Each structure stands twice: as C-alpha cells, then as structure tokens.
Amino acid sequence: MTTQGAAFGVGVQVIVHLDRTRFPQSLIDDPIGVIVAAGESEGAGLYAPTAVRQKFWIVRFEEPFLGLDGSGPHDSARIPQSFLEAAPEA
C-alpha cells in the first residue's frame, strides 16, 4: 500500500489506508493525520523469530474518526507502516 522507500518520521503527514477486508462496502474515507511518535517494530513469527519486522507509527488524526467497525471516535492510533502513505504536498 505504501510507496517503497518513502520517508516516514515524526512530523510527516500521512494517509492511513484502512483495512477494508471485513467492510468492503464502507464509504468511510481513509483518515489523514500526522506522525507524532515512533512505535516499536514487531515480528510476525508465531513460535520462531522472524527476519521480517513491521514498523509502527503513532498517528494523530486531523479530525477524530470512526473506525469501520463503528469504534471511536479516535484522536490517534498506532498504525503499521504498511498502511501508511505520505500525503501529497499541498
């Protein structure tokens, strides 16, 4: 979902691409926010260490948003980098 090699870090404005696998008909827009802190990296192995680690970022949203499941409103969230895209510059 993200552009490979995109520079992410604190202060970068991002689009958070929502996981619509359970809610494919949802018309909720992907929220926009700003990275406010780095989250920790996590591996994906169940019983064994893995070489693939996912980076997470703490994103504060421009406007509180409701999740696809109706949860929220959320002011911020811990988001995997794979769901982020650097927002185009205005």
Side-chain angles (χ1 to χ4, degrees):
M1 287 190 164
T2 65
T3 304
Q4 292 297 329
F8 292 102
V10 174
V12 173
Q13 186 175 32
V14 293
I15 299 167
V16 178
H17 293 286
L18 301 174
D19 180 0
R20 297 176 188 275
T21 54
R22 290 186 18 223
F23 306 95
Q25 304 301 322
S26 175
L27 299 176
I28 294 175
D29 290 332
D30 290 333
I32 296 173
V34 174
I35 295 174
V36 295
E40 295 186 23
S41 296
E42 291 184 0
L46 186 57
Y47 295 107
T50 178
V52 177
R53 295 185 68 78
Q54 173 77 298
K55 179 72 176 173
F56 283 79
W57 298 96
I58 308 301
V59 175
R60 179 164 301 279
F61 301 113
E62 287 183 345
E63 299 178 9
F65 103 100
L66 295 174
L68 296 175
D69 62 357
S71 65
H74 303 283
D75 293 323
S76 64
R78 184 174 170 267
I79 309 288
Q81 184 169 304
S82 62
F83 285 86
L84 300 178
E85 175 186 350
E89 296 197 23

